Amino acid sequence: MERLFLTNLHTPKAVIVIFGATGDLAKRKLFPSIYKLYKSGKIGDDFAVVGLARRPWTNDVFRTNVRESLQNALSMEEDAEEFTSHFYYHPFDVTQAESYTELNGLITDLESTYKTDGNRIFYLAMAPEYFGSIAHRLEEYGLKNSDGWTRLVIEKPFGHDLKSAKELNKEIRVAFNEDQIYRIDHYLGKEMVQNIEVIRFANGIFEHLWNNRSISNVQITSSEELGVEERARYYDHSGAARDMVQNHMLQMVALLAMEPPIKLTTDEIRSEKVKALRALRQLEPEEVDEYFVRGQYGKGTMKGKELVGYREEADELHDSNTETFVAGKVMIDNYRWAGVPFYIRTGKRMAEKCTKIVVEFKDIPMNLYYKEEAEKHPNLLVINIQPNEGITLYLNAKKSGMGSMAEPIQLSYTNNGVSGINTPEAYEKLLFDCMIGDTTNFTHWDEVAHSWAFIDTVLNRWQEVKADFPNYTSGSMGPDAANQLLEKDGFHWWDVAKNE
């Protein structure tokens, strides 16, 4: 693959410092994303990457590790030596003052070598308990005081609940301003998630109907085939609600529910998202069981393979009360959405890996083309986020042949069907946005706070009551209670794979 060069565009320059450079995230996502930005010409030769971790590696060992990560992620066979020559390793102890002093010296030397204009990105791809102290010490030892800009990139989770999130934000804001903080939610980097705004605001056929007069319900499903794998220890302290609902799922709700911004600027888009999150109906503790369902996977069979339950994944999970599945009914109490349920569903060890949004439109008052109520097929707008990126509109049309009965037809667009299209990986998009200073697809503190305020009530209720786990088999679409959540409202989940 030849390297491309962008013309008439200023390619960003920076030293990218990755805390936790020997970890899984750096190998699977960050190194390949930086490489693709380099090969596409979105960044030039004026960059350097400094990897930090406790291991006593050398530059050569680190560069070999980077090359291996590219081969695993991209199945590339070409020589990446020119690219990896921009990578440097520094053994680092986040608690030691000399580590920061030495790092500052290394960055200063690299800025002179690569002419990066003093621009620095500090990417915290490590345990969240160190976020606050690292931010403080970057300020204390002068690493954020350079001739260019400085940005701090933080992975989720941002706190464990609203209280801890406030404490973390306060600690970070002592050293960094809000406009310097980039809180990553990789779902916001996905092509079709970003397309939600375009589908709504660039098409009158949808936006004119995007309200409680025309829409009966909205369903958001994010299902995974995998179990907790090697993340057992982290996951048991997190669970599906903290890992998925507080960030990814509620961010998609906000994008679907927000009002049209007065212009497409970061501040205006964020302002409308915050308004939508502020309108979330806050639950009383005794209402949680009416609106939310939790689950934990047990033994099952997928694709002919016998799978163990969550509690058998690791010794410390043998009596765990942690949820691996969440389904909920989210109500938005504003003029546009009053009375329309937003159903969310996410879990591990489910029937299929899929993320999609289904918008179900109300039927007309008297549909003459169906003899039986059960035969009706409502109009649906399906936004496929992964794996088959695209949109599908389900309409009704006359059956071929005699008679006048209707049958559903599909109008579909998929990225896979466009010749030569290359959908960027979410981290590739977000890293580039960070380098050019576009914070639109990063979460503002106000969004984080409102999301935690909403989900804390659910988590606190679940902590008080021990669940009857496991309650769904691996390879299913979750516990029966998740289906009943919709059935009592007269709806049902649209099948993730078949839209039935």
Side-chain angles (χ1 to χ4, degrees):
M1 177 171 127
E2 294 184 0
R3 188 176 175 205
L4 303 176
F5 292 92
L6 300 183
T7 58
N8 300 321
L9 287 175
H10 175 66
T11 55
K13 307 174 181 180
V15 174
I16 305 171
V17 181
I18 301 176
F19 289 79
T22 60
D24 187 59
L25 175 65
K27 289 186 286 188
R28 288 192 306 108
K29 298 295 184 181
L30 302 185
F31 301 154
S33 293
I34 297 170
Y35 177 75
K36 290 171 77 172
L37 289 173
Y38 177 74
K39 294 300 286 187
S40 65
K42 290 182 178 178
I43 58 175
D45 290 314
D46 301 325
F47 81 97
V49 178
V50 179
L52 306 178
R54 296 180 67 93
R55 298 181 188 179
W57 283 4
T58 63
N59 288 343
D60 288 339
V61 173
F62 183 46
R63 291 168 183 175
T64 298
N65 188 265
V66 173
R67 282 193 291 270
E68 290 174 353
S69 77
L70 300 181
Q71 291 166 355
N72 293 334
L74 306 175
S75 301
M76 54 168 284
E77 298 179 356
E78 64 185 81
D79 183 12
E81 186 172 347
E82 180 182 351
F83 171 72
T84 57
S85 69
H86 291 256
F87 283 68
Y88 298 81
Y89 185 79
H90 182 60
F92 197 85
D93 185 336
V94 298
T95 65
Q96 297 298 317
E98 57 267 25
S99 288
Y100 293 89
T101 303
E102 293 169 0
L103 174 61
N104 201 12
L106 173 59
I107 295 175
T108 302
D109 291 342
L110 293 176
E111 288 172 338
S112 175
T113 301
Y114 291 98
K115 313 299 182 188
T116 58
D117 297 339
N119 300 328
R120 300 178 178 184
I121 294 175
F122 297 100
Y123 197 119
L124 307 189
M126 59 186 308
E129 58 261 31
Y130 295 111
F131 289 174
S133 62
I134 290 174
H136 174 73
R137 293 186 181 205
L138 290 174
E139 163 77 12
E140 181 182 0
Y141 295 106
L143 278 92
K144 65 178 290 286
N145 301 321
S146 64
D147 295 333
W149 46 255
T150 303
R151 291 162 189 160
L152 182 72
V153 183
I154 300 177
E155 279 284 338
K156 73 174 183 71
F158 194 90
H160 192 69
D161 52 18
L162 179 58
K163 180 182 177 182
S164 61
K166 285 181 175 178
E167 291 171 353
L168 174 59
N169 192 61
K170 182 179 180 180
E171 193 172 5
I172 291 174
R173 287 292 299 273
V174 170
F176 289 83
N177 300 324
E178 178 63 32
D179 60 2
Q180 295 177 305
I181 303 169
Y182 288 66
R183 301 175 189 84
I184 273 200
D185 181 335
H186 72 271
Y187 266 53
L188 296 182
K190 292 181 181 293
E191 191 74 16
M192 289 308 299
V193 172
Q194 295 179 0
N195 238 319
I196 292 172
E197 296 172 58
V198 181
I199 291 168
R200 285 188 56 189
F201 303 138
N203 295 286
I205 190 176
F206 296 131
E207 184 56 24
H208 293 319
L209 304 177
W210 212 259
N211 52 58
N212 51 15
R213 296 181 295 280
S214 300
I215 292 175
S216 65
N217 72 91
V218 178
Q219 301 176 18
I220 307 172
T221 296
S222 183
S223 58
E224 294 185 57
E225 290 182 345
L226 294 176
V228 293
E229 311 301 321
E230 70 279 355
R231 298 175 70 212
R233 180 173 297 179
Y234 158 77
Y235 196 89
D236 202 52
H237 287 88
S238 171
R242 290 185 174 92
D243 192 45
M244 290 293 295
V245 178
Q246 183 272 331
N247 37 72
H248 306 325
M249 305 301 282
L250 290 182
Q251 279 292 319
M252 287 191 282
V253 168
L255 288 169
L256 291 163
M258 64 185 275
E259 294 294 320
I262 58 175
K263 51 188 175 181
L264 295 176
T265 62
T266 297
D267 288 343
E268 295 300 335
I269 291 172
R270 280 179 166 176
S271 175
E272 297 303 335
K273 286 171 66 182
V274 169
K275 287 179 186 177
L277 292 170
R278 286 177 59 195
L280 292 175
R281 180 181 298 175
Q282 299 297 313
L283 302 178
E284 296 297 328
E286 60 271 16
E287 295 178 311
V288 169
D289 293 342
E290 180 184 346
Y291 284 84
F292 274 83
V293 171
R294 55 177 164 167
Q296 186 187 93
Y297 64 84
K299 297 178 181 179
T301 303
M302 289 182 66
K303 300 176 181 178
K305 183 179 179 181
E306 295 290 333
L307 300 171
V308 300
Y310 176 75
R311 295 181 176 183
E312 288 79 50
E313 295 274 16
D315 292 340
E316 61 265 33
L317 306 181
H318 74 280
D319 194 31
S320 174
N321 198 46
T322 299
E323 79 284 350
T324 63
F325 173 96
V326 175
K329 180 170 75 170
V330 178
M331 304 300 294
I332 299 173
D333 292 332
N334 61 19
Y335 184 80
R336 181 186 288 260
W337 294 112
V340 178
F342 282 67
Y343 299 108
I344 59 175
R345 174 175 60 166
T346 182
K348 290 188 171 295
R349 283 283 187 239
M350 295 175 73
E352 185 182 18
K353 178 179 174 61
C354 182
T355 301
K356 72 163 52 175
I357 297 163
V358 179
V359 179
E360 180 177 337
F361 293 91
K362 292 180 178 178
D363 200 2
I364 56 179
M366 188 173 136
N367 195 326
L368 302 176
Y369 290 91
Y370 292 99
K371 294 179 180 178
E372 303 290 340
E373 184 75 21
E375 293 179 353
K376 289 185 178 180
H377 297 281
N379 298 139
L380 306 174
L381 173 65
V382 180
I383 304 174
N384 291 295
I385 295 170
Q386 64 178 18
N388 301 314
E389 297 177 344
I391 58 175
T392 303
L393 183 61
Y394 286 77
L395 303 174
N396 292 307
K398 180 184 174 297
K399 292 182 179 180
S400 59
M402 302 294 289
S404 59
M405 291 299 101
E407 65 178 357
I409 62 171
Q410 302 176 22
L411 303 179
S412 297
Y413 163 83
T414 64
N415 280 354
N416 295 339
V418 180
S419 177
I421 196 164
N422 173 29
T423 302
E425 215 283 338
Y427 278 93
E428 179 185 345
K429 166 69 175 168
L430 293 174
L431 277 169
F432 184 69
D433 284 352
C434 179
M435 295 183 78
I436 63 175
D438 184 351
T439 58
T440 305
N441 296 307
F442 295 82
T443 52
H444 189 275
W445 163 245
D446 291 343
E447 298 172 60
V448 174
H450 286 299
S451 296
W452 273 125
F454 175 77
I455 204 65
D456 265 4
T457 302
V458 178
L459 292 168
N460 291 338
R461 170 66 177 172
W462 285 349
Q463 189 173 7
E464 294 173 358
V465 181
K466 188 171 178 63
D468 185 16
F469 288 157
N471 61 353
Y472 72 97
T473 59
S474 294
S476 70
M477 286 307 296
D480 292 338
N483 297 323
Q484 296 163 8
L485 185 69
L486 275 68
E487 289 169 359
K488 65 186 180 184
D489 294 335
F491 304 121
H492 67 274
W493 292 106
W494 291 97
D495 187 272
V496 156
K498 302 174 183 177
N499 292 311
E500 294 178 350

